[in-house]
Amino acid sequence: MAELHLNGVRKVYAGGVEAIRGVDLEAEDGEFVVIVGPSGCGKSTLLRMVAGLERTSEGEIRIGERVVNDLEPAQRDIAMVFQNYALYPHMSVFRNMAYGLNNQGRPKEEILERVQRAARMLQLEGLLERKPRQLSGGQRQRVAMGRALVRDPKVFLFDEPLSNLDAKLRVQMRVEIKALQRGLGTTAMYVTHDQVEAMTLADRLVVMNGGVAEQIGRPLDIYQRPATRFVAGFIGSPSMNFLTAAVAADGRSLELPGELRVPLSARAGPTAGRQVTVGVRPEHLHLSPGSGPRLTLSVGLIELLGAETVVYGHPAGHEEAVTLRVQGVPEVTEGQDLELGLDPAHVHLFDARTGRSLSHPDDGGAV
Amino acid sequence: MVENRRWLNLLTHAVLLLGLAVVALPLWMTFVASTLGPGELINPPIPLLPGSHLLANYGEALSSGMARAGGVPVGTMLFNSLVMALGIAVGKIAISVISAYAIVYFRFPFRMTVFWLIFVTLMLPVEVRIVPTFQVVSSLGMLNSYAGLTIPLIASATATFLFRQFFLTVPDEYLEAARIDGAGPIRFFRDILLPLSRTNMAALFVILFIYGWNQYLWPLIVTTDEHLYTIVMGIKGMVTVSDEEPNWPIVMATSMLAMLPPVAVVIAMQRLFVKGLVDTEK
Amino acid sequence: MQKRVGFDRWALPYLLVLPQLAVTLVFFIWPASEALWQSMLRQDPFGLSTEFVWFENFVELFHDPAYLHSFGRTIVFSASTTFLSMVVSLLMAVAADRVMRGANTYKTLLIWPYAVAPAIAGVLWWFIFNPSIGIVAYALSVLGVDWNHYNNGAQAMLLVVIAAAWKQISYNFIFFLAGLQAIPRSLIEAAAIDAAGPVKRFWTVVFPLLSPTTFFLLVINVVYSFFETFGIVHATTSGGPAAATEILVYKVYKDGFIGLDLGSSAAQSVILMAIVISLTVVQFRYIERRVAY
């Protein structure tokens, strides 16, 4: 068990492409770090650099007290679960799990004992003599976990381990992974593009985009106080609504098309006349407007999900589509005009040019 | 089938049966001839059904064989063919699997040079460079030896190419998982890659065994010592006995014996063999 | 064309390629360069002196009626063998693909000629066409055809073509059948719904989709008939009668080992190598295009 430190880590490929553009990250002992981001953001590359499968061009990676930059993957005291599991197809479950220990030259009894313990934890005891192709997707996933477990590593690395499972199994395994990691108290680094996985698993969440960590923090903090427009749009489903606006001449309110005015809190003080992006989450629009600012929405599509309803529409005078999420089944029909209330306390402001948050300027990661 | 037209189905089967008959005709006639007595093959038409000398003819072929024509028994030639076929098949697979491994899994200077040096030999049969190759083998003192029969023929890129294609389809994650499991290049090759290549190796073995067994020109020129003659080239000596008609029943029994091992291998390992063939194309 | 993650070791990869490289250099590159060198040398009739003559051997070859004749015979032989073998095996593959249930049985019954050595294939056909006792020669004589490949050049050519094509049927059949079975059934069914009859369907849908296989086989068959049929000719006609079946690989051998004209034989080798290499390049391009990853 150990902490994990990334210090100014960069990855530049031979062709000059910069995949990771300087990432600083600290994970405490036993912490579950999730890296989330769209495909191509560099999250897998970062994980593979920690694993030692990609060379680190610059910066320092430290596991516990050791700098591991120049160590072979096997020497780093890590274990990895791959997206497609990478179980050796010709070996039995037992041999798959034992292979790494065999290569370390551990005594037979120890290997047997360790594999059996891991198998017990993962309910694989009856399957040890099977070949991977005789297993279901969920069982393969468990074997891949077991292979990581028997090594008793300092850090677990997960590369989108649940993306090959069907939706139901994914939820189940997600819970199991979290429980297992808690029980063992081993530091974990987990890469995913699924924000539900990210939100539920993470002690510490890293949102990556374009080779940069846009924001690092606790999941709920990131949800409530996104540091950039990208983070705000990426985390949360359905996505946050964005509307362009300008700061009124008095600097105290926002002017949106359609005669809409939203008062500004004194805290964020953008200069008058400045172009900003207004962000509002779908659940922060209300069907019963109070005295505050209102938005008129011409209703388009309605998705009835039972517990909640998602309404899509266009606000009068705006280019952008707006999504609204309400509990239960509201009485709304397509084509109707809806009056929506907007709670100024839940409005996020972003610089229209840089995308940086104006509401929470002091939050954020290593941008 | 999309539709069931009577005449079309009949035609289909007619085509297949006719084709099979044409393909099988030489084999059948060879078999028939190999069972006939010495007197039965003088005047046409020859019988269409097997005769009664099967055991006698095959026995004679195996024991004395060409001895009467001053040659070695067929048994010796079969053994030589076996050595040659196995030597070529095993040798080719061994040297190509490791060179393909190096080319696909290692980064090293001159990798592409090595690649092209090997691949320029792809498909280039020994027949077209026969004279200089003979001179090289002769100057190395390898004439009339099993080494001379086999080693020059294991220099072909086909097998390397097949393994390379196969290795490229092996998921990268196996290598990565193995590296995390602490396996170095040798261990990864022995524990993971070789077991994964088993089917390909078996398929290739069938193809190369046949290739080696069926060599004709090469043994013809590198062996002058008849104790090293192979069965396929030995037949030629039996057919061309000066002026008189060859002893057809014995020749045909020998031909049957020469065909039997490779044909048996192909039929027994049909699925592997077909897979191997079709894979070399990819 | 390499793995995302590879090993970095300085000595091991060289050790691994060494055996293959050594064999290739000694038994391929060396003889090939030797051939190239010798093709520009000429010995006097007594072997006393050797002279460097540049491309004279090549020039002479292409003025030599015997060589041009051999070239012509090779083209006739190669074209006929390829055509005959491919047409027959395509026909049988289409039929086997149609019957579906029996396809594998037919396959088993058809693949074994692949395992027969060319030389033995030659002897088998030589025997059934034997003018005095061969069953086919007898049947032909009943029909009024006088068959004697010992002195009729055209008949001798036909004989080696049949033997060579026969041996190659298995190979072509396997590939055609695999190609046919790889065509999605939905396409055939769509064509049937578009009211295309079986014959029209074959020419407008199946055959075009089969064209990669056909092209591949075309190259393979040309290479086969050019270079791998030495045994058929040598074991049967020995190039005769009157050089009617003297194909190029046979002539290289004859001029080199029997005529002992090393310069000319080497020049012939070089020409053959050039042909194979250009066919290989064509083939390789095609393969690389197919596996574009």
Side-chain angles (χ1 to χ4, degrees):
Chain A
M1 281 170 237
E3 316 83 74
L4 176 66
H5 294 268
L6 272 64
N7 204 339
V9 166
R10 289 156 57 87
K11 172 76 189 178
V12 184
Y13 283 107
V17 179
E18 201 173 352
I20 303 291
R21 294 147 54 156
V23 170
D24 295 299
L25 173 65
E26 299 212 353
E28 285 163 24
D29 185 12
E31 210 171 19
F32 202 115
V33 179
V34 175
I35 305 178
V36 69
S39 54
C41 71
K43 57 188 190 297
S44 278
T45 308
L46 191 64
L47 184 84
R48 293 161 57 78
M49 284 159 77
V50 175
L53 297 171
E54 300 272 0
R55 290 198 71 79
T56 305
S57 315
E58 230 176 88
E60 189 181 89
I61 298 177
R62 204 145 53 78
I63 295 174
E65 296 305 308
R66 279 197 308 169
V67 174
V68 296
N69 283 38
D70 296 320
L71 294 182
E72 281 285 308
Q75 301 165 331
R76 294 190 176 196
D77 220 345
I78 48 112
M80 182 156 166
V81 178
F82 292 84
Q83 179 173 4
N84 64 1
Y85 318 138
L87 300 176
Y88 311 122
H90 58 291
M91 294 186 187
S92 66
V93 168
F94 182 89
R95 285 192 56 212
N96 260 291
M97 287 164 70
Y99 188 62
L101 300 176
N102 270 325
N103 288 341
Q104 292 174 2
R106 307 262 177 172
K108 278 247 168 345
E109 308 78 59
E110 188 196 333
I111 294 175
L112 188 69
E113 198 242 290
R114 280 214 211 177
V115 172
Q116 278 174 344
R117 190 169 34 141
R120 255 197 315 279
M121 288 168 79
L122 294 160
Q123 292 134 47
L124 288 170
E125 288 143 303
L127 307 175
L128 285 177
E129 289 316 309
R130 298 241 188 122
K131 293 278 172 64
R133 66 166 179 280
Q134 297 166 304
L135 302 176
S136 68
Q139 289 168 333
R140 279 179 218 181
Q141 166 66 42
R142 274 173 222 266
V143 176
M145 298 271 301
R147 180 164 71 179
L149 222 60
V150 291
R151 298 168 58 86
D152 199 9
K154 288 203 174 113
V155 179
F156 281 131
L157 303 175
F158 297 93
D159 190 4
E160 309 215 14
L162 303 181
S163 55
N164 282 0
L165 299 177
D166 63 53
K168 201 173 165 193
L169 210 50
R170 201 177 311 168
V171 175
Q172 188 191 332
M173 287 309 295
R174 190 173 80 203
V175 176
E176 282 188 36
I177 287 179
K178 181 76 176 174
L180 207 61
Q181 190 266 349
R182 278 268 165 77
L184 294 167
T186 308
T187 314
M189 188 166 170
Y190 186 108
V191 160
T192 182
H193 63 267
D194 180 320
Q195 49 158 317
V196 180
E197 267 173 43
M199 293 295 289
T200 51
L201 285 172
D203 297 324
R204 190 184 294 250
L205 185 57
V206 182
V207 183
M208 276 190 75
N209 185 34
V212 171
E214 293 250 346
Q215 190 171 4
I216 300 177
R218 285 186 299 150
L220 214 54
D221 285 347
I222 290 183
Y223 186 82
Q224 289 167 345
R225 302 161 65 83
T228 64
R229 190 193 145 151
F230 171 82
V231 174
F234 191 80
I235 299 290
S237 175
S239 287
M240 188 184 275
N241 298 302
F242 294 108
L243 302 167
T244 38
V247 180
D250 60 1
R252 297 221 165 167
S253 64
L254 291 169
E255 288 176 336
L256 282 85
E259 303 295 301
L260 181 59
R261 282 181 179 255
V262 181
L264 273 175
S265 62
R267 188 171 156 275
T271 44
R274 188 168 171 186
Q275 287 291 314
V276 293
T277 304
V278 175
V280 189
R281 294 208 180 272
E283 60 268 37
H284 293 143
L285 292 168
H286 311 294
L287 276 179
S288 43
S291 55
R294 293 157 176 247
L295 190 67
T296 313
L297 188 73
S298 138
V299 175
L301 207 63
I302 303 171
E303 288 179 346
L304 296 165
L305 302 173
E308 60 182 37
T309 300
V310 181
V311 179
Y312 300 90
H314 272 87
H318 287 260
E319 289 286 306
E320 301 94 335
V322 160
T323 314
L324 158 77
R325 180 156 86 174
V326 281
Q327 295 297 313
V329 185
E331 290 197 5
V332 180
T333 50
E334 286 181 24
Q336 180 190 348
D337 278 347
L338 268 185
E339 285 283 292
L340 298 179
L342 193 63
D343 182 356
H346 285 124
V347 166
H348 305 264
L349 283 191
F350 302 97
D351 187 312
R353 200 170 43 81
T354 64
R356 299 205 48 83
S357 171
L358 302 169
S359 321
H360 325 289
D362 43 343
D363 283 324
V367 179
Chain B
M1 246 320 89
V2 184
E3 71 271 275
N4 253 317
R5 298 194 197 176
R6 195 98 185 260
W7 64 269
L8 209 58
N9 288 343
L10 283 176
L11 184 73
T12 306
H13 282 282
V15 165
L16 284 168
L17 292 175
L18 187 71
L20 280 182
V22 172
V23 168
L25 177 72
L27 183 73
W28 177 250
M29 291 317 296
T30 305
F31 175 67
V32 168
S34 73
T35 61
L36 297 176
E40 294 175 79
L41 261 175
I42 293 170
N43 292 314
I46 67 164
L48 287 172
L49 293 174
S52 56
H53 289 67
L54 185 135
L55 289 177
N57 289 344
Y58 283 76
E60 187 184 337
L62 274 174
S63 57
S64 48
M66 292 166 52
R68 229 181 283 160
V72 289
V74 168
T76 309
M77 296 197 289
L78 280 172
F79 176 76
N80 292 336
S81 286
L82 188 68
V83 170
M84 187 172 177
L86 286 178
I88 289 175
V90 172
K92 257 194 190 192
I93 289 175
I95 66 169
S96 28
V97 75
I98 56 175
S99 61
Y101 178 51
I103 287 170
V104 175
Y105 281 95
F106 287 82
R107 283 179 285 250
F108 57 98
F110 303 112
R111 194 177 71 89
M112 286 317 281
T113 316
V114 170
F115 178 87
W116 283 112
L117 268 180
I118 292 173
F119 285 93
V120 86
T121 65
L122 195 74
M123 279 166 63
L124 203 83
V126 71
E127 280 80 0
V128 305
R129 53 195 160 92
I130 192 73
V131 179
T133 311
F134 170 77
Q135 288 167 336
V136 165
V137 171
S138 157
S139 64
L140 292 173
M142 286 165 73
L143 295 183
N144 283 318
S145 70
Y146 286 126
L149 272 176
T150 51
I151 294 174
L153 294 189
I154 65 181
S156 140
T158 331
T160 316
F161 192 72
L162 176 70
F163 281 123
R164 167 185 175 266
Q165 298 301 86
F166 172 66
F167 290 165
L168 287 174
T169 67
V170 172
D172 287 2
E173 282 81 0
Y174 291 147
L175 173 61
E176 296 173 356
R179 286 186 64 185
I180 289 175
D181 276 339
I186 306 264
R187 246 193 211 146
F188 170 70
F189 182 67
R190 190 195 61 199
D191 292 347
I192 317 263
L193 205 55
L194 270 191
L196 289 179
S197 319
R198 265 195 317 236
T199 326
N200 290 67
M201 289 172 96
L204 203 54
F205 179 83
V206 180
I207 293 168
L208 295 177
F209 181 86
I210 292 166
Y211 167 83
W213 185 276
N214 289 347
Q215 282 303 313
Y216 180 76
L217 175 58
W218 187 245
L220 191 70
I221 62 162
V222 294
T223 58
T224 47
D225 177 356
E226 54 194 30
H227 288 99
L228 284 166
Y229 279 5
T230 63
I231 183 92
V232 174
M233 63 166 289
I235 302 254
K236 161 77 175 170
M238 299 172 114
V239 180
T240 47
V241 256
S242 56
D243 293 346
E244 58 184 296
E245 273 290 318
N247 185 353
W248 283 114
I250 304 298
V251 173
M252 286 307 161
T254 312
S255 299
M256 290 297 290
L257 289 171
M259 281 187 280
L260 202 60
V263 169
V265 167
V266 161
I267 304 253
M269 300 175 82
Q270 181 184 341
R271 282 189 48 202
L272 273 177
F273 160 72
V274 172
K275 175 183 158 23
L277 267 194
V278 179
D279 278 358
T280 36
E281 180 230 3
K282 283 181 195 141
Chain C
M1 289 289 161
Q2 211 194 357
K3 294 285 173 183
R4 179 169 67 191
V5 176
F7 290 109
D8 293 297
R9 298 282 193 286
W10 72 268
L12 189 60
Y14 296 104
L15 279 177
L16 293 173
V17 294
L18 185 68
Q20 170 116 38
L21 214 51
V23 175
T24 305
L25 285 174
V26 173
F27 298 107
F28 173 78
I29 305 286
W30 182 11
S33 356
E34 194 91 329
L36 209 56
W37 173 243
Q38 280 176 353
S39 69
M40 300 186 190
L41 298 180
R42 181 176 300 152
Q43 285 188 321
D44 68 65
F46 307 103
L48 295 176
S49 67
T50 307
E51 196 190 346
F52 190 79
V53 293
W54 288 105
F55 298 104
E56 226 171 87
N57 284 326
F58 293 94
V59 174
E60 223 161 74
L61 267 183
F62 284 107
H63 285 100
D64 177 4
Y67 188 71
L68 294 177
H69 172 79
S70 171
F71 225 117
R73 298 318 288 172
T74 309
I75 287 167
V76 170
F77 172 75
S78 181
S80 322
T81 304
T82 302
F83 181 76
L84 181 63
S85 180
M86 284 181 70
V87 167
V88 171
S89 38
L90 177 59
L91 194 63
M92 301 197 47
V94 169
D97 185 45
R98 235 190 89 82
V99 302
M100 307 228 298
R101 195 166 284 176
N104 272 325
T105 318
Y106 283 115
K107 192 151 86 182
T108 309
L109 291 172
L110 275 174
I111 58 166
W112 60 269
Y114 175 86
V116 176
I120 293 184
V123 170
L124 260 49
W125 286 92
W126 180 253
F127 172 66
I128 63 175
F129 273 99
N130 184 301
S132 52
I133 55 168
I135 183 82
V136 178
Y138 176 77
L140 286 172
S141 74
V142 170
L143 294 173
V145 179
D146 183 21
W147 181 275
N148 190 344
H149 50 246
Y150 289 103
N151 50 34
N152 184 326
Q155 290 179 352
M157 174 58 90
L158 190 56
L159 174 67
V160 287
V161 165
I162 290 174
W166 174 79
K167 198 194 127 39
Q168 198 63 2
I169 282 178
S170 324
Y171 190 90
N172 296 337
F173 175 79
I174 289 169
F175 276 92
F176 274 134
L177 188 60
L180 285 169
Q181 286 173 342
I183 295 176
R185 294 216 55 76
S186 55
L187 281 180
I188 312 282
E189 286 160 1
I193 290 167
D194 285 340
V199 176
K200 184 157 189 207
R201 216 159 54 217
F202 178 80
W203 289 113
T204 55
V205 179
V206 176
F207 193 71
L209 286 172
L210 209 54
S211 61
T213 309
T214 312
F215 175 74
F216 166 80
L217 286 176
L218 195 66
V219 179
I220 289 285
N221 278 277
V222 169
V223 171
Y224 160 79
S225 56
F226 253 70
F227 306 108
E228 287 164 42
T229 46
F230 172 85
I232 295 178
V233 171
H234 184 259
T236 59
T237 63
S238 296
T245 55
E246 191 169 278
I247 56 173
L248 289 171
V249 268
Y250 187 77
K251 194 167 162 56
V252 172
Y253 161 83
K254 200 182 91 176
D255 291 353
F257 285 101
I258 300 169
L260 295 176
D261 184 351
L262 291 185
S264 167
S265 173
Q268 293 181 33
S269 272
V270 170
I271 292 169
L272 283 181
M273 279 192 263
I275 295 173
V276 186
I277 287 174
S278 37
L279 283 170
T280 309
V281 169
V282 171
Q283 185 79 337
F284 205 76
R285 284 224 164 140
Y286 161 83
I287 289 172
E288 284 296 297
R289 206 179 58 224
R290 286 281 307 266
V291 283
Y293 58 80

